[in-house]
């Protein structure tokens, strides 16, 4: 099984080892910051694609039966494996074609383009984080 | 210089990193205020007439109490047969209508068809509902397509209304009064233009956030007759 398909969902849970907050990397913690997202849209935007996919798959299951989402998710999983290493920008062409987002323009294509991010990560650490070794 | 605290590339789209900082800053300086966004404090109106839809707007953009732009264009191009007036935060209406226009262009290139007004409305509704009103765009969409002449309004929270005549913005009550009085079904083009002009005029007279000029744009069934730029009337 290819290692690159493991996508860590680092939401509002602590990033450090053993689930404890990593003060060295993420700074001091405050209860208020961790319990509530600071912007009303932050949580819904973080999970938007995930929720939309879940809703679509569940509708598809109800309409066409279990086989339809199973086959689609198999294709999604295959498409998600075609990626560069974490610190490089992947085009995600196959994934976009499956989702239909290659024919749509949204705010995610205009704002905060990851290819022009001002912060560069350390390649070794990013790969280790993605593999779960960090 | 590679940073060791960046473990993933940040996601594309809106970035909420500074939201906590802004909230903390607002509490620190009591009396100090963040810069206000440029709002269009506006009067926009639309009327469905016999051969199409007439849209009208004033041209003043305000930033709190100051007139920031005297010749602001509030009628945005969406598709050759669909135009949109925007009220609310100026940047939000501009960007949202730009994105909508791009999406509809991709669609018409893909399918070889002119987009319908309902498509524009649905795309806008999905987009605005997703952001729960944080994008301050009150829009009036008017256009002609194969199913007829349509006028819709989309609110910032994603509410949609289909109506034969309409006004929005801070001067909407005055404009709506004129529209209620003068509207009839199947007006002629000149009568419809005069009605919209009178409605915007009333909005300009009664509202401080609207002023300067009146833009009128008729969208007609035969697309070859529509001209490129909206007619700007000196006021």
């Amino acid at each position: 099984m290819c290692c690159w398909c493991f996508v860590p969902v680092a939401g509002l849970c602590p990033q450090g080892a053993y689930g404890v907050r990593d003060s060295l990397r993420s700074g001091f913690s405050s209860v208020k910051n961790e319990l509530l997202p600071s912007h009303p849209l932050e949580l819904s935007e973080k999970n938007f694609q995930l929720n939309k996919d879940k809703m679509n798959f569940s509708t598809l299951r109800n309409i066409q039966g279990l086989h339809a989402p199973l086959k689609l998710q198999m294709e999604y999983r295959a498409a998600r494996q075609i990626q560069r290493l974490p610190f490089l920008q992947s085009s995600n062409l196959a994934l976009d074609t499956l989702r239909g987002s290659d024919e749509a323009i949204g705010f995610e294509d205009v704002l905060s383009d990851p290819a022009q991010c001002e912060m560069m990560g350390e390649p070794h650490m990013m790969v280790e984080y993605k593999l779960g070794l960090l | 210089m590679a940073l060791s605290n960046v473990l993933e590339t940040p996601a594309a789209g809106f970035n909420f990193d500074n939201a906590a900082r802004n909230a903390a800053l607002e509490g620190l300086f009591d009396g100090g205020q963040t810069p206000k966004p440029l709002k269009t404090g506006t009067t926009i109106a639309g009327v469905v007439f016999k051969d199409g839809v007439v849209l009208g707007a004033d041209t003043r953009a305000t930033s709190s109490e100051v007139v920031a732009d005297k010749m602001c264009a509030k009628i945005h191009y969406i598709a050759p047969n669909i135009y949109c007036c925007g009220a609310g935060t100026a940047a939000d209406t501009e960007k949202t209508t730009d994105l909508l226009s791009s999406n509809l262009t991709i669609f018409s290139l893909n399918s070889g068809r002119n987009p319908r007004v309902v498509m524009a409305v649905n795309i806008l509704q999905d987009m605005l509902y997703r952001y729960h009103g944080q994008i301050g765009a009150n829009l009036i969409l008017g256009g002609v397509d194969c199913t007829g002449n349509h006028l819709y309004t989309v609110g910032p929270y994603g509410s949609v209304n289909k109506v034969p005549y309409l006004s929005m913005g801070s001067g909407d009550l005055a404009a709506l009064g004129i529209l209620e009085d003068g509207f009839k079904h199947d007006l002629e083009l000149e009568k419809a233009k005069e009605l919209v002009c009178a409605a915007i005029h009333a909005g300009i007279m009664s509202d401080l956030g609207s002023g300067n000029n009146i833009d009128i744009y008729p969208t007609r069934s035969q697309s070859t007759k529509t001209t490129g730029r909206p007619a700007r009337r000196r006021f």
Side-chain angles (χ1 to χ4, degrees):
Chain A
M1 185 65 160
C2 178
C3 321
W4 309 129
C5 57
F6 164 62
V7 179
V9 183
L12 291 179
C13 46
Q15 279 178 354
Y18 310 111
V20 176
R21 182 164 183 104
D22 192 352
S23 307
L24 186 66
R25 288 207 190 88
S26 7
F28 292 117
S29 61
S30 113
V31 174
K32 192 174 71 157
N33 280 349
E34 286 186 12
L35 280 183
L36 301 165
S38 41
H39 194 274
L41 284 183
E42 193 171 350
L43 209 52
S44 75
E45 278 299 298
K46 203 183 285 273
N47 296 327
F48 184 77
Q49 193 58 46
L50 213 65
N51 287 339
K52 188 167 139 191
D53 284 346
K54 270 193 213 165
M55 191 174 72
N56 288 338
F57 280 135
S58 117
T59 317
L60 194 58
R61 192 234 157 106
N62 289 335
I63 295 176
Q64 295 190 14
L66 187 59
H67 74 98
L70 275 183
K71 283 186 184 156
L72 270 183
Q73 280 183 323
M74 181 184 76
E75 292 181 17
Y76 272 70
R77 198 165 276 236
R80 221 178 282 141
Q81 293 180 6
I82 313 166
Q83 273 194 1
R84 292 202 165 128
L85 291 176
F87 51 92
L88 291 173
Q89 227 13 65
S90 353
S91 70
N92 288 323
L93 186 60
L95 207 51
D96 276 351
T97 311
L98 274 179
R99 282 208 183 108
S101 54
D102 61 336
E103 292 175 351
I105 298 182
F107 286 109
E108 57 273 355
D109 297 304
V110 177
L111 298 173
S112 294
D113 188 9
Q116 292 167 10
C117 179
E118 298 153 350
M119 297 189 296
M120 188 176 108
E122 232 278 318
H124 297 288
M125 296 181 58
M126 290 178 86
V127 175
E128 284 176 10
Y129 178 71
K130 182 161 189 183
L131 287 177
L133 300 172
L134 198 60
Chain B
M1 170 77 192
L3 298 174
S4 56
N5 62 335
V6 174
L7 293 175
E8 294 174 308
T9 38
F14 288 108
N15 191 330
F16 301 106
D17 287 347
N18 284 338
R21 178 205 74 171
N22 292 346
L25 280 179
E26 260 179 54
L28 276 183
F29 305 108
D30 22 52
Q33 282 176 358
T34 53
K36 290 276 174 291
L38 183 67
K39 295 186 86 70
T40 54
T42 189
T43 309
I44 49 179
V47 161
V48 175
F49 70 102
K50 190 167 75 178
D51 298 321
V53 178
V54 176
L55 296 172
D58 72 306
T59 60
R60 175 182 289 184
T62 54
S63 167
S64 309
E65 319 82 38
V66 177
V67 173
D69 192 350
K70 292 183 286 233
M71 293 283 274
C72 166
K74 298 184 192 177
I75 304 188
H76 308 284
Y77 166 87
I78 305 280
N81 54 330
I82 305 175
Y83 277 77
C84 173
C85 302
T89 309
D92 289 347
T93 57
E94 281 269 353
K95 206 64 199 176
T96 316
T97 47
D98 267 351
L99 281 178
L100 177 64
S101 170
S102 307
N103 277 321
L104 287 181
T105 312
I106 295 179
F107 162 78
S108 46
L109 286 172
N110 258 336
S111 62
R113 291 182 164 83
N114 261 344
R116 297 192 189 184
V117 188
V118 272
M119 290 177 52
V121 170
N122 282 333
I123 294 175
L124 264 184
Q125 185 178 27
D126 286 340
M127 197 190 298
L128 291 176
Y129 180 70
R130 173 177 170 175
Y131 296 105
H132 295 290
Q134 300 283 334
I135 294 187
N138 297 297
L139 303 165
I140 294 187
L141 268 146
V144 180
D145 58 30
C146 55
T147 51
N149 319 324
H150 305 286
L151 186 65
Y152 287 89
T153 170
V154 184
Y157 286 85
S159 54
V160 167
N161 229 343
K162 182 178 195 312
V163 277
Y165 60 90
L166 183 59
S167 75
M168 296 276 276
S170 52
D172 63 347
L173 292 176
L176 204 53
I178 302 286
L179 287 176
E180 294 268 4
D181 189 42
F183 178 79
K184 291 180 193 35
H185 285 288
D186 290 336
L187 284 169
E188 291 299 327
L189 173 63
E190 286 311 318
K191 280 270 171 354
K193 282 209 284 197
E194 271 173 32
L195 182 61
V196 174
C197 193
I200 306 287
H201 186 107
I204 289 176
M205 287 279 117
S206 321
D207 176 43
L208 291 176
S210 318
N212 301 100
N213 302 3
I214 303 179
D215 282 345
I216 303 273
Y217 193 74
T219 316
R220 271 171 290 191
S221 315
Q222 295 98 335
S223 54
T224 48
K225 290 211 182 126
T226 55
T227 52
R229 291 168 50 89
R232 188 151 272 179
R233 194 181 304 219
R234 281 256 134 212
F235 161 68

